[in-house]
Coordinates of all heavy atoms in Angstrom, one line a residue:
M1 N -23.0 -32.8 2.2 CA -24.0 -33.0 1.2 C -23.4 -33.2 -0.2 O -22.4 -32.5 -0.5 CB -25.0 -31.9 1.2 CG -26.0 -31.9 0.1 SD -27.4 -33.1 0.4 CE -28.1 -32.5 1.8
F2 N -23.8 -34.2 -0.9 CA -23.3 -34.5 -2.3 C -24.5 -34.4 -3.3 O -25.7 -34.7 -2.9 CB -22.8 -35.9 -2.4 CG -21.4 -36.0 -1.7 CD1 -21.4 -36.2 -0.3 CD2 -20.3 -36.0 -2.4 CE1 -20.2 -36.4 0.3 CE2 -19.1 -36.2 -1.8 CZ -19.0 -36.3 -0.4
Q3 N -24.2 -33.9 -4.4 CA -25.2 -33.9 -5.5 C -24.7 -34.8 -6.6 O -23.5 -34.7 -7.0 CB -25.4 -32.5 -6.1 CG -26.4 -32.4 -7.2 CD -26.5 -31.1 -7.9 OE1 -25.4 -30.5 -8.2 NE2 -27.7 -30.6 -8.0
L4 N -25.5 -35.7 -7.1 CA -25.1 -36.7 -8.1 C -26.0 -36.3 -9.3 O -27.2 -36.3 -9.3 CB -25.4 -38.1 -7.7 CG -25.0 -39.2 -8.6 CD1 -23.5 -39.3 -8.8 CD2 -25.5 -40.6 -8.2
R5 N -25.3 -36.0 -10.5 CA -26.0 -35.7 -11.7 C -25.7 -36.8 -12.7 O -24.5 -37.2 -12.9 CB -25.5 -34.3 -12.3 CG -25.8 -33.2 -11.4 CD -25.4 -31.9 -12.0 NE -25.4 -30.8 -11.1 CZ -24.9 -29.6 -11.3 NH1 -24.3 -29.3 -12.5 NH2 -25.0 -28.6 -10.4
F6 N -26.7 -37.2 -13.4 CA -26.5 -38.2 -14.4 C -27.5 -38.1 -15.5 O -28.4 -37.2 -15.5 CB -26.5 -39.6 -13.8 CG -27.7 -40.0 -13.0 CD1 -28.7 -40.8 -13.5 CD2 -27.9 -39.5 -11.7 CE1 -29.8 -41.1 -12.8 CE2 -29.0 -39.8 -11.0 CZ -30.0 -40.6 -11.5
D7 N -27.5 -39.0 -16.5 CA -28.3 -38.9 -17.7 C -28.2 -37.6 -18.4 O -29.2 -36.9 -18.7 CB -29.8 -39.3 -17.4 CG -30.0 -40.8 -17.1 OD1 -29.1 -41.6 -17.5 OD2 -31.1 -41.2 -16.6
G8 N -27.0 -37.2 -18.6 CA -26.7 -35.9 -19.3 C -27.2 -34.7 -18.5 O -27.5 -33.6 -19.1
G9 N -27.3 -34.8 -17.2 CA -27.7 -33.7 -16.3 C -29.2 -33.6 -16.2 O -29.7 -32.7 -15.4
R10 N -30.0 -34.5 -16.8 CA -31.4 -34.5 -16.7 C -31.9 -35.0 -15.3 O -33.0 -34.8 -14.9 CB -32.1 -35.3 -17.8 CG -31.9 -34.6 -19.2 CD -32.6 -35.4 -20.3 NE -32.0 -36.7 -20.5 CZ -30.9 -37.0 -21.2 NH1 -30.2 -36.0 -21.7 NH2 -30.4 -38.2 -21.3
Q11 N -31.0 -35.8 -14.7 CA -31.4 -36.4 -13.4 C -30.4 -35.9 -12.3 O -29.2 -35.8 -12.6 CB -31.5 -37.9 -13.5 CG -32.4 -38.4 -14.5 CD -33.3 -39.4 -13.9 OE1 -33.6 -39.4 -12.7 NE2 -33.9 -40.2 -14.8
Q12 N -30.9 -35.7 -11.1 CA -29.9 -35.4 -10.0 C -30.5 -35.9 -8.7 O -31.7 -36.0 -8.6 CB -29.7 -33.9 -9.9 CG -30.9 -33.0 -9.7 CD -30.6 -31.6 -9.7 OE1 -29.4 -31.2 -9.8 NE2 -31.6 -30.7 -9.7
R13 N -29.6 -36.2 -7.9 CA -30.0 -36.7 -6.5 C -29.1 -36.1 -5.5 O -27.9 -35.8 -5.8 CB -29.8 -38.3 -6.4 CG -30.6 -39.1 -7.4 CD -32.1 -39.0 -7.1 NE -32.8 -39.9 -8.0 CZ -33.3 -39.6 -9.2 NH1 -33.0 -38.4 -9.7 NH2 -34.0 -40.4 -10.0
Y14 N -29.7 -35.7 -4.4 CA -28.9 -35.2 -3.3 C -28.7 -36.3 -2.2 O -29.7 -36.9 -1.8 CB -29.6 -34.0 -2.6 CG -29.6 -32.8 -3.6 CD1 -30.7 -32.6 -4.4 CD2 -28.5 -31.9 -3.6 CE1 -30.7 -31.6 -5.3 CE2 -28.5 -30.8 -4.5 CZ -29.6 -30.7 -5.4 OH -29.6 -29.6 -6.2
L15 N -27.4 -36.6 -1.9 CA -27.1 -37.7 -1.0 C -26.3 -37.2 0.2 O -25.5 -36.3 0.0 CB -26.4 -38.8 -1.8 CG -27.2 -39.3 -3.0 CD1 -26.4 -40.1 -4.0 CD2 -28.4 -40.2 -2.5
P16 N -26.4 -37.8 1.3 CA -25.7 -37.3 2.5 C -24.2 -37.5 2.6 O -23.5 -36.7 3.3 CB -26.4 -38.0 3.7 CG -26.9 -39.3 3.1 CD -27.3 -38.9 1.6
D17 N -23.7 -38.5 1.9 CA -22.3 -38.8 2.1 C -21.8 -39.6 0.9 O -22.6 -40.0 0.0 CB -22.0 -39.6 3.4 CG -22.9 -40.9 3.5 OD1 -23.0 -41.6 2.5 OD2 -23.4 -41.2 4.6
H18 N -20.4 -39.7 0.8 CA -19.8 -40.4 -0.3 C -20.2 -41.9 -0.5 O -20.4 -42.4 -1.6 CB -18.3 -40.2 -0.3 CG -17.6 -40.5 -1.6 ND1 -16.9 -41.7 -1.8 CD2 -17.6 -39.9 -2.8 CE1 -16.4 -41.7 -3.0 NE2 -16.9 -40.6 -3.6
R19 N -20.4 -42.5 0.6 CA -20.8 -43.9 0.6 C -22.2 -44.1 -0.1 O -22.4 -45.0 -0.9 CB -20.9 -44.5 2.0 CG -19.6 -44.8 2.7 CD -19.7 -45.4 4.1 NE -20.6 -46.5 4.2 CZ -20.3 -47.7 3.8 NH1 -19.1 -48.0 3.2 NH2 -21.1 -48.7 3.9
S20 N -23.0 -43.2 0.2 CA -24.4 -43.2 -0.4 C -24.3 -43.0 -1.9 O -25.0 -43.6 -2.7 CB -25.3 -42.1 0.2 OG -25.5 -42.3 1.5
V21 N -23.3 -42.1 -2.3 CA -23.1 -41.9 -3.8 C -22.6 -43.2 -4.4 O -23.1 -43.6 -5.5 CB -22.1 -40.7 -4.0 CG1 -21.6 -40.7 -5.4 CG2 -22.6 -39.4 -3.5
L22 N -21.6 -43.8 -3.8 CA -21.1 -45.1 -4.4 C -22.2 -46.1 -4.5 O -22.3 -46.8 -5.5 CB -19.9 -45.6 -3.6 CG -18.7 -44.7 -3.5 CD1 -17.7 -45.3 -2.6 CD2 -18.1 -44.4 -4.9
R23 N -23.0 -46.3 -3.4 CA -24.1 -47.3 -3.4 C -25.1 -47.0 -4.5 O -25.5 -47.9 -5.2 CB -24.8 -47.3 -2.1 CG -24.0 -48.1 -1.0 CD -24.8 -48.5 0.2 NE -25.4 -47.3 0.8 CZ -24.8 -46.7 1.8 NH1 -23.6 -47.1 2.3 NH2 -25.4 -45.6 2.4
Y24 N -25.4 -45.7 -4.7 CA -26.4 -45.3 -5.7 C -25.9 -45.6 -7.1 O -26.6 -46.1 -7.9 CB -26.8 -43.8 -5.5 CG -28.0 -43.5 -6.3 CD1 -29.3 -43.7 -5.7 CD2 -28.0 -42.9 -7.6 CE1 -30.5 -43.4 -6.4 CE2 -29.1 -42.6 -8.3 CZ -30.4 -42.9 -7.7 OH -31.5 -42.6 -8.4
V25 N -24.7 -45.2 -7.4 CA -24.1 -45.5 -8.7 C -24.0 -47.0 -9.0 O -24.4 -47.4 -10.1 CB -22.7 -44.8 -8.9 CG1 -22.0 -45.2 -10.1 CG2 -22.8 -43.3 -8.8
L26 N -23.7 -47.7 -8.0 CA -23.7 -49.2 -8.2 C -25.1 -49.7 -8.5 O -25.2 -50.6 -9.3 CB -23.1 -49.9 -7.0 CG -21.6 -49.8 -6.8 CD1 -21.2 -50.3 -5.4 CD2 -20.9 -50.7 -7.9
M27 N -26.1 -49.2 -7.9 CA -27.4 -49.6 -8.0 C -28.0 -49.2 -9.4 O -28.6 -50.0 -10.1 CB -28.3 -49.1 -6.9 CG -29.8 -49.5 -7.0 SD -30.8 -48.8 -5.6 CE -30.7 -47.0 -6.0
I28 N -27.8 -47.9 -9.7 CA -28.5 -47.4 -10.9 C -27.7 -47.4 -12.2 O -28.2 -47.3 -13.3 CB -29.0 -45.9 -10.6 CG1 -30.1 -45.5 -11.6 CG2 -27.9 -44.9 -10.6 CD1 -31.4 -46.1 -11.4
G29 N -26.4 -47.5 -12.0 CA -25.5 -47.5 -13.2 C -25.8 -48.4 -14.3 O -25.9 -47.9 -15.5
P30 N -26.1 -49.6 -14.1 CA -26.4 -50.5 -15.2 C -27.7 -50.2 -15.9 O -28.0 -50.6 -17.0 CB -26.6 -51.9 -14.5 CG -25.9 -51.8 -13.2 CD -26.0 -50.3 -12.8
H31 N -28.6 -49.3 -15.3 CA -29.9 -49.0 -15.9 C -29.9 -47.6 -16.5 O -30.9 -47.2 -17.1 CB -31.0 -49.2 -14.9 CG -30.9 -50.5 -14.2 ND1 -31.2 -51.7 -14.8 CD2 -30.5 -50.8 -13.0 CE1 -31.0 -52.7 -14.0 NE2 -30.6 -52.2 -12.8
A32 N -28.9 -46.8 -16.2 CA -28.9 -45.3 -16.6 C -28.8 -45.2 -18.1 O -28.1 -46.0 -18.8 CB -27.8 -44.6 -15.8
A33 N -29.3 -44.1 -18.6 CA -29.2 -43.8 -20.1 C -27.8 -43.4 -20.5 O -27.4 -43.6 -21.6 CB -30.2 -42.8 -20.5
D34 N -27.1 -42.9 -19.6 CA -25.7 -42.4 -19.8 C -24.8 -43.1 -18.8 O -25.2 -43.3 -17.7 CB -25.7 -40.9 -19.7 CG -24.4 -40.2 -20.2 OD1 -23.5 -41.0 -20.7 OD2 -24.2 -39.0 -20.0
T35 N -23.5 -43.3 -19.2 CA -22.6 -44.0 -18.3 C -21.8 -43.0 -17.4 O -21.1 -43.5 -16.5 CB -21.6 -44.8 -19.1 OG1 -20.8 -43.9 -20.0 CG2 -22.3 -45.8 -20.0
A36 N -21.9 -41.7 -17.6 CA -21.2 -40.8 -16.8 C -22.0 -40.2 -15.6 O -23.2 -39.8 -15.8 CB -20.7 -39.6 -17.6
F37 N -21.4 -40.3 -14.4 CA -22.1 -39.7 -13.2 C -21.2 -38.6 -12.7 O -20.0 -38.9 -12.4 CB -22.2 -40.9 -12.2 CG -23.2 -41.9 -12.6 CD1 -22.9 -42.9 -13.4 CD2 -24.5 -41.8 -12.0 CE1 -23.9 -43.9 -13.8 CE2 -25.5 -42.8 -12.4 CZ -25.2 -43.8 -13.3
E38 N -21.7 -37.4 -12.6 CA -20.9 -36.3 -12.0 C -21.2 -36.3 -10.5 O -22.4 -36.3 -10.1 CB -21.3 -35.0 -12.6 CG -21.0 -34.9 -14.1 CD -21.5 -33.6 -14.7 OE1 -22.3 -32.8 -14.0 OE2 -21.1 -33.3 -15.8
V39 N -20.2 -36.2 -9.7 CA -20.3 -36.1 -8.3 C -19.9 -34.7 -7.9 O -18.8 -34.2 -8.1 CB -19.4 -37.1 -7.6 CG1 -19.6 -37.0 -6.0 CG2 -19.7 -38.5 -8.0
W40 N -20.8 -34.0 -7.3 CA -20.6 -32.6 -6.8 C -20.6 -32.5 -5.3 O -21.4 -33.2 -4.7 CB -21.7 -31.7 -7.4 CG -21.7 -31.6 -8.9 CD1 -22.1 -32.6 -9.8 CD2 -21.2 -30.5 -9.7 NE1 -21.9 -32.2 -11.0 CE2 -21.4 -30.9 -11.0 CE3 -20.7 -29.3 -9.4 CZ2 -21.1 -30.1 -12.1 CZ3 -20.4 -28.4 -10.5 CH2 -20.6 -28.8 -11.8
T41 N -19.7 -31.7 -4.7 CA -19.7 -31.6 -3.3 C -20.2 -30.1 -2.9 O -20.0 -29.2 -3.8 CB -18.3 -31.8 -2.7 OG1 -17.4 -30.9 -3.3 CG2 -17.9 -33.2 -2.9
E42 N -20.7 -30.0 -1.8 CA -21.2 -28.7 -1.4 C -20.0 -27.7 -1.2 O -19.0 -28.0 -0.5 CB -22.0 -28.8 -0.1 CG -22.8 -27.6 0.2 CD -23.8 -27.8 1.3 OE1 -24.0 -28.9 1.8 OE2 -24.4 -26.8 1.7
G43 N -20.1 -26.6 -1.8 CA -19.1 -25.5 -1.7 C -19.5 -24.5 -0.7 O -20.4 -24.7 0.1
A44 N -18.8 -23.3 -0.8 CA -19.1 -22.2 0.1 C -20.5 -21.7 -0.1 O -20.9 -21.7 -1.3 CB -18.1 -21.1 -0.1
P45 N -21.2 -21.3 0.9 CA -22.5 -20.8 0.7 C -22.5 -19.5 0.0 O -21.6 -18.7 0.1 CB -23.1 -20.6 2.1 CG -21.9 -20.6 3.0 CD -20.8 -21.3 2.3
V46 N -23.6 -19.2 -0.8 CA -23.8 -18.0 -1.5 C -24.2 -16.9 -0.4 O -25.1 -17.2 0.4 CB -24.9 -18.1 -2.6 CG1 -25.2 -16.8 -3.2 CG2 -24.4 -19.1 -3.6
R47 N -23.6 -15.8 -0.5 CA -23.9 -14.6 0.3 C -24.5 -13.5 -0.6 O -23.8 -13.2 -1.6 CB -22.8 -14.1 1.1 CG -22.3 -15.0 2.2 CD -23.2 -14.9 3.4 NE -22.9 -15.9 4.3 CZ -23.7 -16.4 5.3 NH1 -24.9 -15.9 5.3 NH2 -23.3 -17.3 6.1
L48 N -25.6 -13.0 -0.3 CA -26.2 -11.9 -1.0 C -25.4 -10.6 -0.7 O -24.6 -10.6 0.3 CB -27.7 -11.8 -0.7 CG -28.5 -13.0 -1.1 CD1 -29.9 -12.8 -0.7 CD2 -28.3 -13.4 -2.5
A49 N -25.6 -9.5 -1.4 CA -25.0 -8.3 -1.2 C -25.1 -7.7 0.2 O -24.2 -7.1 0.7 CB -25.4 -7.2 -2.2
D50 N -26.3 -8.0 0.8 CA -26.5 -7.5 2.2 C -25.9 -8.4 3.2 O -26.1 -8.2 4.4 CB -28.0 -7.3 2.4 CG -28.8 -8.6 2.4 OD1 -28.2 -9.7 2.2 OD2 -30.0 -8.5 2.6
G51 N -25.3 -9.5 2.8 CA -24.6 -10.5 3.8 C -25.5 -11.6 4.2 O -25.0 -12.5 4.9
S52 N -26.7 -11.6 3.8 CA -27.6 -12.7 4.1 C -27.4 -13.9 3.3 O -26.8 -13.8 2.2 CB -29.1 -12.2 4.0 OG -29.4 -11.9 2.7
P53 N -27.7 -15.1 3.8 CA -27.5 -16.3 3.1 C -28.4 -16.4 1.8 O -29.5 -16.0 1.8 CB -27.8 -17.4 4.0 CG -28.7 -16.8 5.1 CD -28.3 -15.4 5.1
G54 N -27.7 -16.8 0.7 CA -28.5 -16.9 -0.5 C -28.6 -18.3 -1.1 O -29.2 -18.4 -2.2
G55 N -28.2 -19.3 -0.4 CA -28.3 -20.6 -0.9 C -27.0 -21.4 -1.0 O -26.0 -21.0 -0.5
R56 N -27.1 -22.6 -1.6 CA -25.9 -23.5 -1.6 C -25.3 -23.4 -3.0 O -25.9 -23.1 -4.0 CB -26.4 -24.9 -1.4 CG -27.0 -25.2 -0.1 CD -27.4 -26.7 0.0 NE -27.9 -27.0 1.3 CZ -28.4 -28.2 1.6 NH1 -28.5 -29.1 0.7 NH2 -28.8 -28.4 2.8
T57 N -24.0 -23.8 -3.0 CA -23.3 -24.0 -4.3 C -22.7 -25.3 -4.2 O -22.4 -25.9 -3.1 CB -22.1 -22.9 -4.5 OG1 -21.2 -23.1 -3.4 CG2 -22.7 -21.5 -4.5
F58 N -22.4 -25.9 -5.4 CA -21.8 -27.2 -5.5 C -20.6 -27.1 -6.4 O -20.7 -26.4 -7.4 CB -22.8 -28.3 -5.9 CG -23.8 -28.6 -4.9 CD1 -24.9 -27.9 -4.7 CD2 -23.6 -29.7 -4.0 CE1 -25.8 -28.2 -3.7 CE2 -24.5 -30.1 -3.0 CZ -25.6 -29.3 -2.8
E59 N -19.6 -27.9 -6.2 CA -18.4 -27.9 -7.0 C -18.1 -29.3 -7.5 O -18.3 -30.3 -6.7 CB -17.2 -27.4 -6.1 CG -17.3 -26.0 -5.6 CD -16.3 -25.6 -4.6 OE1 -15.5 -26.5 -4.2 OE2 -16.3 -24.5 -4.1
L60 N -17.7 -29.4 -8.7 CA -17.5 -30.8 -9.3 C -16.3 -31.4 -8.6 O -15.2 -30.9 -8.6 CB -17.2 -30.6 -10.8 CG -17.0 -32.0 -11.6 CD1 -18.3 -32.9 -11.5 CD2 -16.7 -31.7 -13.0
A61 N -16.5 -32.6 -8.1 CA -15.5 -33.3 -7.3 C -14.9 -34.4 -8.2 O -13.7 -34.7 -8.1 CB -16.0 -33.9 -6.0
E62 N -15.7 -35.2 -8.9 CA -15.3 -36.3 -9.7 C -16.3 -36.7 -10.7 O -17.5 -36.3 -10.6 CB -14.9 -37.5 -8.9 CG -16.0 -38.1 -8.2 CD -15.6 -39.4 -7.4 OE1 -15.0 -40.3 -7.9 OE2 -16.0 -39.4 -6.2
V63 N -15.9 -37.4 -11.8 CA -16.8 -37.9 -12.7 C -16.5 -39.5 -12.7 O -15.4 -39.9 -12.9 CB -16.6 -37.4 -14.2 CG1 -17.5 -38.1 -15.2 CG2 -16.9 -35.9 -14.2
I64 N -17.6 -40.2 -12.5 CA -17.5 -41.7 -12.5 C -18.1 -42.1 -13.8 O -19.3 -41.9 -14.1 CB -18.2 -42.3 -11.3 CG1 -17.7 -41.8 -10.0 CG2 -18.2 -43.8 -11.4 CD1 -18.5 -42.1 -8.8
D65 N -17.3 -42.8 -14.6 CA -17.8 -43.3 -15.9 C -17.8 -44.8 -15.7 O -16.8 -45.5 -15.7 CB -16.9 -42.9 -17.1 CG -17.5 -43.3 -18.4 OD1 -18.5 -44.1 -18.4 OD2 -16.9 -42.9 -19.4
V66 N -19.0 -45.4 -15.6 CA -19.2 -46.8 -15.4 C -18.9 -47.6 -16.6 O -18.8 -48.9 -16.5 CB -20.6 -47.1 -14.8 CG1 -20.8 -46.5 -13.4 CG2 -21.7 -46.7 -15.7
A67 N -18.7 -47.0 -17.8 CA -18.3 -47.7 -19.0 C -16.8 -48.0 -19.0 O -16.4 -48.9 -19.8 CB -18.7 -47.0 -20.2
A68 N -16.0 -47.4 -18.1 CA -14.6 -47.7 -18.1 C -14.3 -49.1 -17.6 O -15.0 -49.6 -16.7 CB -13.9 -46.6 -17.2
P69 N -13.3 -49.8 -18.1 CA -13.0 -51.1 -17.7 C -12.8 -51.2 -16.2 O -12.0 -50.4 -15.7 CB -11.8 -51.5 -18.5 CG -11.8 -50.6 -19.7 CD -12.5 -49.3 -19.2
G70 N -13.4 -52.1 -15.5 CA -13.2 -52.3 -14.1 C -13.9 -51.2 -13.2 O -13.6 -51.2 -12.0
A71 N -14.7 -50.4 -13.8 CA -15.3 -49.3 -13.0 C -16.2 -49.8 -11.8 O -16.0 -49.4 -10.7 CB -16.2 -48.4 -13.9
Y72 N -17.0 -50.9 -12.0 CA -17.8 -51.4 -10.9 C -16.9 -52.0 -9.8 O -17.3 -51.9 -8.7 CB -18.9 -52.3 -11.5 CG -20.0 -51.6 -12.2 CD1 -20.1 -51.7 -13.6 CD2 -20.9 -50.9 -11.5 CE1 -21.1 -51.1 -14.3 CE2 -21.9 -50.2 -12.2 CZ -22.0 -50.3 -13.6 OH -23.0 -49.6 -14.2
D73 N -15.9 -52.7 -10.2 CA -15.0 -53.3 -9.3 C -14.3 -52.2 -8.4 O -14.2 -52.4 -7.2 CB -13.9 -54.2 -9.9 CG -14.5 -55.4 -10.6 OD1 -15.5 -55.9 -10.1 OD2 -13.9 -55.9 -11.5
R74 N -13.9 -51.1 -9.0 CA -13.3 -50.0 -8.3 C -14.3 -49.4 -7.3 O -14.0 -49.0 -6.2 CB -12.7 -49.0 -9.2 CG -11.4 -49.4 -9.9 CD -10.7 -48.3 -10.6 NE -11.5 -47.7 -11.7 CZ -11.6 -48.2 -12.9 NH1 -10.9 -49.3 -13.2 NH2 -12.3 -47.7 -13.8
L75 N -15.5 -49.2 -7.8 CA -16.6 -48.7 -6.9 C -16.8 -49.6 -5.7 O -16.9 -49.1 -4.6 CB -17.9 -48.4 -7.7 CG -17.8 -47.3 -8.7 CD1 -19.1 -47.3 -9.5 CD2 -17.6 -46.0 -8.1
R76 N -16.9 -50.9 -5.9 CA -17.1 -51.8 -4.8 C -16.0 -51.8 -3.9 O -16.1 -51.9 -2.6 CB -17.4 -53.2 -5.4 CG -18.7 -53.4 -6.0 CD -18.9 -54.9 -6.4 NE -20.0 -55.0 -7.4 CZ -19.8 -55.0 -8.7 NH1 -18.6 -55.0 -9.2 NH2 -20.9 -55.0 -9.5
A77 N -14.7 -51.7 -4.4 CA -13.5 -51.7 -3.5 C -13.5 -50.4 -2.7 O -13.2 -50.4 -1.5 CB -12.3 -51.8 -4.4
A78 N -13.9 -49.3 -3.3 CA -13.9 -48.0 -2.6 C -15.0 -48.0 -1.5 O -14.8 -47.6 -0.4 CB -14.2 -46.8 -3.5
L79 N -16.1 -48.6 -1.8 CA -17.2 -48.8 -0.8 C -16.7 -49.7 0.4 O -17.0 -49.3 1.5 CB -18.4 -49.3 -1.5 CG -19.7 -49.3 -0.6 CD1 -20.1 -47.9 -0.2 CD2 -20.9 -49.9 -1.5
A80 N -16.1 -50.7 0.0 CA -15.5 -51.6 1.1 C -14.5 -50.9 1.9 O -14.4 -51.1 3.2 CB -15.0 -52.9 0.5
A81 N -13.6 -50.1 1.3 CA -12.6 -49.4 2.0 C -13.2 -48.4 3.0 O -12.7 -48.2 4.1 CB -11.6 -48.7 1.1
D82 N -14.3 -47.7 2.5 CA -15.0 -46.7 3.4 C -15.6 -47.4 4.6 O -15.7 -46.8 5.6 CB -16.1 -46.0 2.6 CG -15.6 -44.9 1.8 OD1 -14.4 -44.5 1.9 OD2 -16.4 -44.3 1.0
A83 N -16.0 -48.7 4.4 CA -16.7 -49.4 5.5 C -15.7 -50.0 6.5 O -16.0 -50.4 7.6 CB -17.5 -50.5 4.9
A84 N -14.4 -50.2 6.1 CA -13.4 -50.8 7.0 C -13.2 -49.9 8.2 O -13.0 -48.7 8.0 CB -12.1 -51.0 6.2
P85 N -13.1 -50.4 9.3 CA -12.8 -49.6 10.5 C -11.3 -49.0 10.4 O -10.5 -49.7 9.9 CB -12.9 -50.6 11.7 CG -12.7 -52.0 11.1 CD -13.2 -51.9 9.7
A86 N -11.2 -47.9 10.9 CA -9.9 -47.2 10.9 C -9.0 -47.9 11.8 O -9.3 -48.4 12.9 CB -10.0 -45.8 11.3
R87 N -7.7 -48.1 11.4 CA -6.7 -48.8 12.3 C -5.9 -47.8 13.0 O -5.6 -46.7 12.5 CB -5.8 -49.6 11.4 CG -6.5 -50.8 10.7 CD -5.5 -51.6 10.0 NE -6.2 -52.8 9.4 CZ -5.7 -54.0 9.5 NH1 -4.6 -54.2 10.1 NH2 -6.4 -55.0 9.0
T88 N -5.7 -48.1 14.2 CA -4.9 -47.2 15.1 C -3.4 -47.7 15.0 O -3.1 -48.7 14.4 CB -5.4 -47.2 16.5 OG1 -5.4 -48.5 17.0 CG2 -6.8 -46.6 16.6
G89 N -2.5 -47.0 15.7 CA -1.1 -47.4 15.7 C -0.8 -48.8 16.1 O -1.6 -49.5 16.6
A90 N 0.4 -49.2 15.7 CA 0.8 -50.6 16.0 C 0.8 -50.9 17.5 O 1.1 -50.1 18.3 CB 2.2 -50.8 15.5
G91 N 0.4 -52.1 17.8 CA 0.2 -52.5 19.2 C 1.2 -53.4 19.6 O 1.8 -54.0 20.2

């Protein structure tokens, strides 16, 4: 599970995988009020004092700034690389 925070933290989306994060940033980036997108990954679950589950935590994994030169090209390349089938050993 990934959490994407943007527009200065006023907006957040929960997405199932990194590919979804990349697609979402490519789609919404040109229209967002802020150019920085924080990508958070799910961390260790919170445990209460009695040992019962207390919820999820998220850890900052990366910040995507779409204002950086070539940012959209890098996102498209990363998305294409994620879609490429894994290659096995030389045949």
Side-chain angles (χ1 to χ4, degrees):
M1 175 74 62
F2 287 80
Q3 181 186 47
L4 183 65
R5 295 181 193 174
F6 57 101
D7 285 347
R10 291 181 298 279
Q11 301 232 25
Q12 61 183 352
R13 301 291 183 273
Y14 292 91
L15 301 163
D17 53 42
H18 195 251
R19 287 181 50 75
S20 298
V21 169
L22 297 176
R23 281 194 303 268
Y24 194 85
V25 172
L26 284 167
M27 178 181 68
I28 198 74
H31 311 288
D34 191 3
T35 62
F37 290 80
E38 296 177 348
V39 180
W40 296 73
T41 57
E42 193 166 355
V46 173
R47 290 283 172 201
L48 302 177
D50 66 359
S52 63
R56 295 180 177 175
T57 62
F58 286 85
E59 300 169 354
L60 183 61
E62 67 179 307
V63 176
I64 301 170
D65 188 350
V66 295
Y72 287 108
D73 290 335
R74 284 191 299 276
L75 291 172
R76 285 185 200 96
L79 190 57
D82 278 351
R87 294 185 177 227
T88 56

